[in-house]
Amino acid sequence: MMKRALLTTLLLLAAASAPAEDEPQWLGAGELDLAKYEGQVVLVDFWASWCKPCKESMPWLSAMQEKYGAQGLRIVAVNIDKKLDSALAMGDLLHEDLVLVHDPKGKLAGEYELQGMPSSYLYDRRGELAASHVGFLAAECDNREAELAKLIGSAEAEGHDDSE
Amino acid sequence: MMIRNSAGRKAVHALLALLAAGACGGCASLGVEPWERELLAAPGMEIDPDPLETALNEHIYFSKEASTGGLGTAGGGCGCN
């Protein structure tokens, strides 16, 4: 009887501590391996909850992931908040397919030698750096999307090329 | 006081060289990196973190101290401006 109660308690504790299925998974700064996404267009975006333009960019990034994810776009959102709680508070803005990385000590940020916030780096399907941007302006969204679409090779990019 | 001893002079030169090197390199790592600006970005770090309070303070100052000049028209300090 005692054993049964103990087992039940342990099972309950395990269930309570296990992450929920729909809870986003965060990678550590050392766990990010861009080689995993070879063959996909990868956008690495550095953001923080204290950075206003970063907050403004999140809905756009999520929209891009939603729109082009199936065609091979993978957005890696690297958060540099000291505490993950600050980033989690913005959970509603994060698309479920974003690759989420937490870099509280600025390890990746230092490696990329960021010049400002937010900063983003766009890699083509061969893994070569195609473009980088510092800051976020809503007025530039169309150009940024065209740049993405061109690399992805979507019909939308062809449309942009025709109009030029 | 003159330092006649050559060893003492060398020590002074070494000290001066050390100070000069320190002065040159001392400012090499000033500034915060873009990803370290969390505290600087806090609302309390703005030049005017609370515009409403600033407006009230300025109104009180204007009302009480205007006769001494500096903030526009003269007033009697009655607080009625």
Side-chain angles (χ1 to χ4, degrees):
Chain A
M1 185 69 187
M2 190 68 181
K3 267 186 188 174
R4 205 173 195 183
L6 193 66
L7 194 66
T8 314
T9 314
L10 281 174
L11 280 174
L12 281 173
L13 278 174
S17 60
E21 272 180 25
D22 56 347
E23 204 170 286
Q25 298 297 311
W26 288 80
L27 299 175
E31 292 174 288
L32 178 65
D33 180 15
L34 291 183
K36 263 190 200 172
Y37 311 113
E38 205 182 326
Q40 297 182 62
V41 172
V42 178
L43 178 67
V44 179
D45 184 81
F46 287 87
W47 68 284
S49 66
W50 45 263
C51 152
K52 280 184 188 172
C54 303
K55 275 189 197 173
E56 287 165 17
S57 76
M58 293 320 287
W60 180 78
L61 287 171
S62 292
M64 292 301 101
Q65 183 62 59
E66 175 72 27
K67 190 170 177 181
Y68 297 107
Q71 297 172 56
L73 174 66
R74 179 63 72 164
I75 297 179
V76 179
V78 184
N79 175 270
I80 55 165
D81 278 290
K82 298 278 178 224
K83 291 179 181 172
L84 188 58
D85 287 351
S86 314
L88 292 177
M90 289 176 62
D92 293 347
L93 298 176
L94 306 172
H95 191 275
E96 57 185 7
D97 290 340
L98 294 181
V99 177
L100 301 172
V101 182
H102 188 218
D103 183 22
K105 291 184 179 169
K107 179 180 175 287
L108 288 170
E111 284 172 13
Y112 274 82
E113 295 179 349
L114 303 190
Q115 297 300 307
M117 289 293 293
S119 280
S120 61
Y121 300 83
L122 183 60
Y123 295 91
D124 63 18
R125 292 187 191 271
R126 289 169 298 170
E128 284 172 19
L129 186 66
S132 65
H133 297 279
V134 180
F136 178 81
L137 286 173
E140 287 177 1
C141 282
D142 287 346
N143 288 339
R144 298 275 299 269
E145 183 174 349
E147 188 179 72
L148 281 177
K150 196 175 174 185
L151 280 185
I152 293 165
S154 75
E156 199 144 323
E158 284 158 24
H160 275 282
D161 286 344
D162 289 346
S163 64
E164 281 168 7
Chain B
M1 189 182 83
M2 295 283 287
I3 299 173
R4 291 175 194 278
N5 183 338
S6 75
R9 217 175 296 161
K10 273 184 189 168
V12 170
H13 285 165
L15 189 67
L16 284 174
L18 203 67
L19 283 173
C24 289
C27 301
S29 61
L30 274 186
V32 227
E33 299 292 354
W35 58 92
E36 297 171 337
R37 295 183 186 157
E38 187 166 355
L39 274 179
L40 292 173
M45 295 295 272
E46 283 180 37
I47 291 173
D48 186 3
D50 190 344
L52 185 63
E53 192 184 330
T54 307
L56 286 170
N57 283 339
E58 279 183 357
H59 179 74
I60 292 165
Y61 183 80
F62 168 78
S63 302
K64 299 286 182 192
E65 308 288 342
S67 59
T68 63
L71 261 184
T73 56
C78 60
C80 49
N81 278 313

